[in-house]
Each structure stands twice: as C-alpha cells, then as structure tokens.
Amino acid sequence: MLGLEKKAEAVPGNMGIMMDGTEGDILVKKVVFREVKPFQEETGERKTTKITKDGLTVNLDENFPRVANYELNGKTMNGAELRHNYVTINTVNMKATAEITNQTEDSITYHVTPDPEKTGVTFDVVFQVKEDQILEMLFQNIEEPNGEPVNSI
C-alpha cells in the first residue's frame, strides 16, 4: 500500500481509487483530509427553488448554491443531504453566504461571499440545465483582491 492506511483516521465518508484493467501506475503527490464538522449545519425547513429543461428538474437550496435533488422520469435522486454553508479557497475552509442574483426557467446564479474576515474573494456560481438532461455548474466573476490570488475553489 501507499503507507496512508496507517495515517488515515476512521471517519465517515469514503475515499478510494479504482482502475479499469490490470495495468497502470498511480502516482499520489498529495492527499489532503478536510474536516467539515466544525461548521454548523443549516437547521430548520429546507427551502428550495427549481430550474428545469428537457424533462430534468433540479431543486436547489434558496440560500446557498447546492443541489437538494434531481427529478427525471418520475424518479428522484438526492443531492447534498448535509447543509454546510462553506467554501474551500486555496485549501482553506471558511464559512460563506450566498444570494440568488438571477434566475430563469433553466438557470440560476448565486453570488457567494466567503467570510470577509478571512478573505476578500467573492464569486458567482451558475447552474444551468442543458439539453439531454445535463446540469452545468460554472464559477464566474471571481474577484481576487490584490495579493490574494485564487488557485482553487
């Protein structure tokens, strides 16, 4: 093994590597474990809004860019069951707020503001239901204050 089995702690969730076939090499350069539990999960009734196209309906949370569930052909598939309002920017987890700034029948845009005491970065998250039951998620309008480049979200 990679030697990670002795260092990884038993926590809820899954991690794995799956390869098709018997030949191939895997080079692991970095493994990062992040604990989300310190962030308070949203409580109370879940309020959702929907976008739809070509038979696919996507129900999203009203207060954060997160899919609650998908509906297609009379069947429902769950999305995010845990409601933690946080983002990870440059490998740092931080609380965040979001508001819907634009919505059409098949798309929705959220403006996301991470904890202003930790960063000045803001960005938009756009979900759009495309043809052939495809849900597209884009990060747009990433505002990077001077001296604070965004390498990953």
Side-chain angles (χ1 to χ4, degrees), residues 7-118:
K7 296 178 183 176
E9 295 179 21
V11 294
N14 297 309
M15 182 177 114
I17 299 172
M18 187 168 131
M19 294 179 56
D20 252 346
T22 58
E23 294 185 27
D25 295 325
I26 298 174
L27 174 62
V28 177
K29 292 187 176 188
K30 182 177 180 180
V31 176
V32 177
F33 292 91
R34 293 186 182 93
E35 187 174 351
V36 177
K37 290 183 180 182
F39 294 109
Q40 182 68 37
E41 185 175 356
E42 287 289 303
T43 57
E45 182 182 346
R46 186 176 215 168
K47 295 181 182 176
T48 60
T49 187
K50 69 180 179 180
I51 55 176
T52 187
K53 184 174 186 172
D54 206 19
L56 175 64
T57 299
V58 181
N59 294 296
L60 301 113
D61 284 346
E62 287 184 354
N63 67 342
F64 206 74
R66 176 178 40 241
V67 175
N69 62 52
Y70 309 82
E71 299 172 16
L72 180 64
N73 297 328
K75 296 182 180 176
T76 301
M77 181 174 78
N78 289 338
E81 294 181 9
L82 298 176
R83 298 184 296 157
H84 294 282
N85 294 359
Y86 82 98
V87 296
T88 303
I89 298 175
N90 299 339
T91 72
V92 177
N93 295 337
M94 58 191 81
K95 292 181 182 180
T97 60
E99 64 177 328
I100 296 171
T101 56
N102 188 36
Q103 185 171 0
T104 65
E105 184 177 340
D106 65 355
S107 71
I108 189 166
T109 302
Y110 295 84
H111 183 69
V112 178
T113 305
D115 185 347
E117 292 182 10
K118 292 190 175 186

Side-chain angles (χ1 to χ4, degrees), residues 51 56 58 67 70 127-130 133-137:
I51 55 176
L56 175 64
V58 181
V67 175
Y70 309 82
F127 288 95
Q128 183 174 16
V129 180
K130 310 288 262 184
Q133 297 91 32
I134 295 171
L135 178 64
E136 177 180 71
M137 177 184 178

